[in-house]
């Protein structure tokens, strides 16, 4: 039994941010009813696909959810959605602002029928503000929210992180907002609206970037693999051409790194003996460490640095992550039986000691739960028409 057992969520919308929030809630036991159009959710076709056209993203983002086909372009589909909204705890959507209202699912009206309903809304720029009606994807939010500007090297255009980080950040904040609203409902008996813009989520993780500018007019720039003035903390080459990340910028870890290098005297060298000195001589220090790491294999470095208590680890691809025994034993990775075969996917996070959550099933076939969900909610198909 998950921590959210008994919580019912109606998930509308598509792509990543809202459905990722739904995935997180479902991982911890919420009953998430995923409404899909007759042609299926867009995520069934995104990412790397098998020869048959099946997406390998859908088994992850659709896991633990019940697939219900409703065509919200029809009055019948919208009516069934309204009926479902009367019977759930949370309605989760990530349409552009105004679409939910045009579908006849205005939050205020839904909450009048179901005062305990929590309506979680994810959009590019939120439900208010001058940019409210603009289309927005995660990549745009990463750019406008300041994250892309900080990514990469100063002599090159800012690159994509490699993942849809703007979307997943928004999904995380949305799931957090739902949990906060559920907690508040315990006190008040009333639901509320959770409003998350993708840009809100990106700006929220900017650390001290904005206050640095506010106080001193300092604009943090792209610095590649280093944090200026904080050393050593960088990627270093290994003998076979791979890279290892070493973060030994505090006095204790730096002294242990010097021991591992066989050069304990560096910890007493005036150029490196203090945090400030190491930052001032960052380039030279990185060169000395790189000369050492280049002489050893990744396996040797990883073992040696672990033995000396130096924070370090290899730069892993998907291959190395999947093969890492730590991730397997901890449950960070799971093997799940899916309609596409047995697949490795990420496990449930965070890990709760009493109600740990689980992956009960991967993303289901389209419409697999339409009949059972409508029957469960007393909404059997009495009209003899396809559910879609």
């Amino acid at each position: 039994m998950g921590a959210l057992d008994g919580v019912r969520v109606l998930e509308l919308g598509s792509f990543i941010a809202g459905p990722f929030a739904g995935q997180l809630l479902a991982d911890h036991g919420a009953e998430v009813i995923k409404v899909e159009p007759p042609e299926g959710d867009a995520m069934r076709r995104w990412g790397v696909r098998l020869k048959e056209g099946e997406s390998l993203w859908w088994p992850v983002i659709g896991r633990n959810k019940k697939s219900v086909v409703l065509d919200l372009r029809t009055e019948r589909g919208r009516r069934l959605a309204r009926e479902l909204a009367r019977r759930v705890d949370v309605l989760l959507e990530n349409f552009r602002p105004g679409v939910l209202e045009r579908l006849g699912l205005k939050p205020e009206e839904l909450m009048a029928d179901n005062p305990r309903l929590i309506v979680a809304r994810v959009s590019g720029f939120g439900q208010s503000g001058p940019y409210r009606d603009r289309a927005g994807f995660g990549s745009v939010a990463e750019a406008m929210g300041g994250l892309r500007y900080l990514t990469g090297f100063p002599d090159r255009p800012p690159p994509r992180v490699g993942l849809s980080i703007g979307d997943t950040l928004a999904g995380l904040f949305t799931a957090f907002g739902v949990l906060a609203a559920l907690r508040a409902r315990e006190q008040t008996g009333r639901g509320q609206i959770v409003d998350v813009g993708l840009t809100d989520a990106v700006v929220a993780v900017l650390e001290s970037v904005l206050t640095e500018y506010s106080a001193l007019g300092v604009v943090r720039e792209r610095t590649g693999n280093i944090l200026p003035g904080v050393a050593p903390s960088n990627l270093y080459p290994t003998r076979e051409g791979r890279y290892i990340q070493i973060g030994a910028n505090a006095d204790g870890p730096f002294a242990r790194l010097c021991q591992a290098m066989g050069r304990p005297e560096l910890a007493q060298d005036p150029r490196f003996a203090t945090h400030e000195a190491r930052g001032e001589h960052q380039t030279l220090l990185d060169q000395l460490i790189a000369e050492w790491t280049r002489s050893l294999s990744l396996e040797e470095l990883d073992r040696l640095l672990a033995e000396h208590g130096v924070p370090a680890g290899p730069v892993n691809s998907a291959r190395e992550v999947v093969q890492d025994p730590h991730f397997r034993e901890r449950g960070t990775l799971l093997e799940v039986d899916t309609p596409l075969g047995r697949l490795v996917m990420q496990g449930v996070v965070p890990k709760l000691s009493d109600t740990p959550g689980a992956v009960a099933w991967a993303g289901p076939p389209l419409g697999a739960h339409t009949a059972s969900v409508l029957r469960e909610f007393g909404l059997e198909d009495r009209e003899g028409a396809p559910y879609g």
Side-chain angles (χ1 to χ4, degrees):
M1 183 180 295
L4 298 179
D5 183 65
V7 174
R8 283 174 160 170
V9 180
L10 182 65
E11 180 187 303
L12 308 179
S14 188
F15 299 111
I16 303 170
F20 182 61
Q23 176 196 324
L24 297 176
L25 298 171
D27 280 353
H28 286 280
E31 179 186 0
V32 177
I33 300 164
K34 168 71 177 177
V35 171
E36 301 188 63
E39 63 272 20
D41 187 271
M43 297 308 295
R44 292 182 180 273
R45 299 178 293 279
W46 272 38
V48 176
R49 294 185 289 175
L50 298 177
K51 291 181 181 179
E52 296 78 10
E54 298 286 350
S55 167
L56 290 167
W57 199 336
W58 172 252
V60 180
I61 203 165
R63 71 191 193 188
N64 292 332
K65 299 178 184 179
K66 296 180 176 179
S67 172
V68 171
V69 171
L70 295 179
D71 192 346
L72 299 181
R73 294 164 293 198
T74 68
E75 175 53 37
R76 181 168 177 276
R78 293 191 292 270
R79 176 175 57 77
L80 286 172
R82 286 194 298 272
E83 292 293 335
L84 289 171
R86 291 191 177 102
R87 294 162 168 82
V88 298
D89 299 284
V90 180
L91 185 147
L92 170 62
E93 63 97 3
N94 67 331
F95 298 121
R96 286 176 66 173
V99 170
L100 199 65
E101 287 79 358
R102 289 197 294 275
L103 291 173
L105 300 171
K106 189 175 182 180
E108 292 77 10
E109 294 176 358
L110 297 178
M111 295 168 74
D113 290 338
N114 180 3
R116 293 176 59 82
L117 180 67
I118 294 162
V119 180
R121 316 194 69 177
V122 195
S123 59
F125 301 93
Q127 301 296 317
S128 61
Y131 301 154
R132 172 187 184 272
D133 296 320
R134 290 176 59 166
F137 270 10
S139 58
V140 176
E142 293 161 28
M144 294 183 69
L147 179 61
R148 289 284 181 103
Y149 187 85
L150 298 168
T151 306
F153 291 84
D155 58 342
R156 306 173 208 173
R160 183 174 181 268
V161 173
L163 295 169
S164 304
I165 194 69
D167 290 292
T168 50
L169 284 173
L172 280 165
F173 279 109
T174 301
F176 174 75
V178 168
L179 298 180
L182 286 169
R183 176 71 177 99
R185 193 180 70 176
E186 293 177 2
Q187 311 302 316
T188 66
R190 299 189 306 276
Q192 59 183 299
I193 295 174
V194 177
D195 176 6
V196 177
L198 272 65
T199 44
D200 301 337
V202 171
V203 171
V205 298
L206 288 184
E207 301 175 351
S208 62
V209 168
L210 304 180
T211 51
E212 290 164 9
Y213 174 74
S214 175
L216 301 173
V218 172
V219 175
R220 194 184 295 188
E221 303 287 345
R222 293 188 293 283
T223 57
N225 295 327
I226 67 167
L227 184 59
V230 177
S233 180
N234 206 337
L235 290 179
Y236 300 95
T238 68
R239 189 169 61 205
E240 67 269 58
R242 288 187 63 188
Y243 289 89
I244 189 167
Q245 174 72 39
I246 299 176
N249 42 287
D251 291 346
F254 179 65
R256 296 193 294 273
L257 172 61
C258 296
Q259 291 285 345
M261 294 172 64
R263 300 193 61 182
E265 75 280 0
L266 290 178
Q268 309 304 320
D269 189 313
R271 296 171 298 177
F272 312 127
T274 66
H275 174 79
E276 292 76 14
R278 288 192 295 275
E280 186 178 344
H281 298 92
Q282 186 168 27
T283 301
L284 174 60
L285 182 56
D286 278 341
Q287 290 173 349
L288 292 173
I289 297 170
E291 289 173 5
W292 172 68
T293 60
R294 200 176 283 113
S295 69
L296 298 171
S297 70
L298 178 62
E299 183 180 355
E300 292 169 327
L301 285 164
D302 195 39
R303 183 181 65 252
L304 185 61
L305 293 169
E307 289 172 353
H308 282 79
V310 178
V315 178
N316 286 334
S317 70
R319 180 186 300 107
E320 289 81 35
V321 172
V322 168
Q323 294 172 350
D324 194 309
H326 174 81
F327 295 143
R328 295 282 185 153
E329 183 174 335
R330 182 166 162 74
T332 305
L333 299 179
L334 300 175
E335 290 194 13
V336 180
D337 290 318
T338 82
L340 309 180
R342 193 165 178 81
L343 299 176
V344 175
M345 64 178 66
Q346 53 270 46
V348 176
V349 179
K351 302 184 185 306
L352 280 64
S353 60
D354 291 342
T355 54
V359 177
W361 65 83
L366 178 63
H369 302 93
T370 304
S372 61
V373 167
L374 294 184
R375 190 180 309 115
E376 175 189 358
F377 285 85
L379 300 171
E380 292 91 346
D381 181 29
R382 301 188 183 93
E383 301 171 31
Y387 290 114

